[in-house]
Amino acid sequence: MDFPEKITAILISPEQLRARIAELGNQITNDFKNKDLTVIGLLKGSALFTADLVRAIELPLILDFMAISSYEGGKSTSPTGVVKILKDLDTEIEGRDVLVVEDIVDTGLTLNYLMKILRARNPASLHLCALLDRTVRRIIELPIAYRGFEIPDVYVVGYGLDHQQRYRNLPYIGTYNSTGN
Ligand code: IMP
Ligand code: MG
């Protein structure tokens, strides 16, 4: 695939992604030994990350997915950060150790709300794993137990992340130029 013109730079290469995900997988494997781990991938952004991450975790985990509505780049969000569940889990999480996998934590509003919904289902434990963390834009404090990379205040696409649904299939994280056409 040609290097898309709107992508101004490669921020995180496929090799860097692979290496970091292997480290996260090791860490999670050690932390959840003898636990009943359920990994929840949030569609669609974290689909690629989740697929690679679970293959780096050497445990008999359950994989499930959820789709939630959140505001997308630029549009305003309600101050409460209320999100809607578009697709719920297929499995019960009560009494299980749950790891939520997200592509990027920005303001933290979406995830904060989702974690509350999941906590109400009484999992044994509830942790968050985020590939990217843009702390400079955080509005609500949100503990991220497993974090891939901290990134600066630039819009990024690729490896699951989109701009108007495009570029999710890029094998790297790239910075996106949203000015002009
Ligand atoms: P927040 O943490 O509630 O602000 O929401 C973060 C969500 O916004 C992520 O799950 C992404 O879907 C989306 N998002 C935020 N920043 C970016 C970006 O740079 N590229 C693509 N999607 C983004
Ligand atoms: Mg998302």
Side-chain angles (χ1 to χ4, degrees):
M1 186 160 56
D2 286 343
F3 195 79
E5 170 188 348
K6 298 293 272 181
I7 312 298
T8 48
I10 294 179
L11 192 62
I12 308 170
S13 70
E15 293 72 28
Q16 287 172 302
L17 288 167
R18 226 180 341 263
R20 186 71 188 113
I21 291 165
E23 287 175 355
L24 291 172
N26 277 333
Q27 219 181 322
I28 294 164
T29 302
N30 289 328
D31 292 354
F32 290 90
K33 282 224 164 77
N34 306 313
K35 300 266 174 94
D36 292 320
L37 180 62
T38 294
V39 172
I40 301 177
L42 300 183
L43 299 172
K44 299 171 214 170
S46 78
L48 281 73
F49 174 42
T50 304
D52 285 337
L53 182 68
V54 291
R55 281 179 284 188
I57 302 173
E58 293 178 42
L59 294 172
L61 58 82
I62 289 176
L63 174 61
D64 209 338
F65 289 94
M66 264 182 120
I68 55 175
S69 70
S70 65
Y71 75 99
E72 293 295 338
K75 261 194 267 166
S76 65
T77 182
S78 60
T80 52
V82 170
V83 299
K84 207 165 80 191
I85 296 177
L86 304 176
K87 183 224 169 283
D88 208 337
L89 299 172
D90 297 325
T91 58
E92 302 285 326
I93 57 166
E94 182 165 358
R96 295 190 57 85
D97 294 281
V98 173
L99 182 65
V100 174
V101 180
E102 177 61 310
D103 51 0
I104 180 168
V105 179
D106 193 42
T107 63
L109 290 171
T110 315
L111 257 294
N112 182 62
Y113 190 81
L114 180 71
M115 295 302 260
K116 272 190 208 156
I117 293 174
L118 294 177
R119 205 169 286 122
R121 298 181 187 183
N122 296 315
S125 68
L126 181 62
H127 291 91
L128 178 60
C129 173
L131 178 65
L132 307 177
D133 184 5
R134 200 192 278 120
T135 51
V136 293
R137 285 183 33 100
R138 194 65 34 83
I139 289 174
I140 277 187
E141 202 201 325
L142 186 73
I144 302 176
Y146 306 94
R147 173 170 86 159
F149 303 88
E150 167 144 21
I151 63 161
D153 196 6
V154 287
Y155 196 84
V156 292
V157 295
Y159 197 63
L161 292 114
D162 71 304
H163 178 262
Q164 295 176 355
Q165 299 301 331
R166 298 194 192 273
Y167 305 109
R168 293 192 197 275
N169 59 319
L170 294 176
Y172 50 82
I173 303 282
T175 54
Y176 182 84
N177 171 22
S178 55
T179 59
N181 263 310

